[in-house]
Amino acid sequence: QVQLVESGGGLVQPGGSLRLACEVSGFTVSYSATTWFRQVPGKEREGVACISNVDGRTNYADFVKGRFTISRDSAKNMVFLQMNNLKPADTAVYYCAVDFDVGRAWSRGEYYHHWGQGTQVTVSA
């Protein structure tokens, strides 16, 4: 059974930082990628950042480039999202998801069948 567990969310002031973690278990496909998404109630889900579980290749949404960094610890089956210079617009529930590596389509949620429960990130003064 595939399980993903996110942690690290919370309340932070604008300009602050948070580090999200996603622990993945039970997923045995080699050619895969782990992706962070976020969603605000009433808005569409957005792909934030993706990392290949094969070679560590990364992709980022334009709205987080230069501020967020995705990384992995393969030995521990964990993926991280370091978020710096946070803005109120980053407020959302953040989810990690894992599935086959779909390359350029990485930000399309419909390609992922395994999701975590989400962690709330709130950026507010």
Side-chain angles (χ1 to χ4, degrees), residues 1 7 9 13 18 26-27 29 34 37 39-40 53 59 64-65 70 72 80 82 94 103 113:
Q1 181 179 359
S7 60
Q13 292 186 343
L18 282 175
F27 191 76
V29 175
T34 306
F37 291 84
Q39 189 165 24
V40 176
N53 295 326
N59 287 288
V64 302
K65 283 182 179 178
I70 190 170
R72 61 180 180 155
F80 305 96
Q82 177 67 42
Y94 284 72
H113 298 90

Side-chain angles (χ1 to χ4, degrees), residues 75-89:
K76 297 180 179 179
N77 293 321
M78 296 194 70
V79 173
F80 305 96
L81 186 68
Q82 177 67 42
M83 305 186 295
N84 298 329
N85 191 21
L86 282 160
K87 305 174 181 181

Side-chain angles (χ1 to χ4, degrees), residues 47-118:
V48 176
C50 175
I51 188 164
S52 166
N53 295 326
V54 177
D55 59 11
R57 170 178 39 88
T58 59
N59 287 288
Y60 295 92
D62 287 344
F63 53 80
V64 302
K65 283 182 179 178
R67 300 189 300 125
F68 291 10
T69 302
I70 190 170
S71 62
R72 61 180 180 155
D73 183 334
S74 299
K76 297 180 179 179
N77 293 321
M78 296 194 70
V79 173
F80 305 96
L81 186 68
Q82 177 67 42
M83 305 186 295
N84 298 329
N85 191 21
L86 282 160
K87 305 174 181 181
D90 295 318
T91 296
V93 177
Y94 284 72
Y95 301 89
C96 62
V98 66
D99 219 305
F100 293 100
D101 190 334
V102 293
R104 294 180 179 180
W106 66 269
S107 63
R108 297 180 62 176
E110 61 264 36
Y111 288 116
Y112 297 81
H113 298 90
H114 308 287
W115 295 80
Q117 81 287 352

